[in-house]
Amino acid sequence: MKSTTIKQVTVVGTGVIGNGWIARFLAKGYDVIATDPAEGAEVRIRSSIANAWPALEKQGLAEGASKDRLTFEPDLANAVANADLIQENVPEREELKRKVLADIDRLAKPDAIIASSTSGLKPSTLQADCAKPERVIVAHPFNPVYLVPLVELVGGEATTTETIKTAEEFYQSIDMKPLVISTEIEGHVADRLMEAIWREALHLVNDGVATTEEVDAAIIYGPGLRWALMGPFLTLHLAGGEQGMKHMLEQFGPALKLPWTKLVAPELTEELTNKVVDGCEQQTTGHSITQLEQRRDDFLIELMQLLEKYWPGANLNGKI
């Protein structure tokens, strides 16, 4: 059901994440205005939406949903003038984001919500130059935004409870799973978890322990299968048998002090860069990025259907 508060949405910045937002908003039956100063932006947007649309049709479109409900507006002032929610997606540079958000804040109507897709910056930092910082939040999604439901919502020091609540209701209305994070921290929650695995993966490749393909296989056919349903805590809860997490911690807790992992990222040398790039290219030989995206999208749709089948009552509090 569409939000009664948010009726017009604008997307500022149209890279991979921005275009993902546009596709999701369109699929849920919204009129969307997109703006980006980059040359050729509109062509790239429409191409991206066309690539995503078959997956969205397979998942199910809202009544009235259409690719034709997208309007490209190169002028930022015109783009945000009537928006109820503005989703910002400019490159992850603090100075640039703060400037763009301050411009949006100056140009948008007073009751519009301004949401940044930042993956790492704190909302208090982002809202520092805004005249109305109380309506600025972080709404951090995950690629592909048009399919993956998680969005992390984080308010800054000046963000009001009402802003968070309105945003939460809106993202729920477009079939997302908003995770409201009460404490600001760089990288929020999910990216910090992914970053820890990414650092260790780079060490394994850098040290010659495993190739990129072997690291991927270790996740795909092992913990990744379990995490898709239960996440790390419940997965280990079951590992403790009938006593659950209590027994698991008693048995395996001491191993946490063993130096199995390297918490600091390795230096991204030319040698390591080449190992990672060459490994990924070898893994995907004969397949274009577009083909891989289509395979991923089809898989995600079926995976989410399975998740709903086997975990229908689960919510973001981890309760069944």
Side-chain angles (χ1 to χ4, degrees), residues 230-245:
M230 294 186 177
F233 280 107
L234 283 187
T235 294
L236 292 177
H237 181 58
L238 269 61
E242 290 299 322
Q243 295 182 46
M245 182 63 77

Side-chain angles (χ1 to χ4, degrees), residues 5 113 134 137 159-169:
T5 305
I113 291 177
E134 66 274 7
I137 63 168
T159 308
T160 62
T161 302
E162 181 182 0
T163 296
I164 292 289
K165 182 179 179 182
T166 301
E168 181 180 16
E169 291 173 348

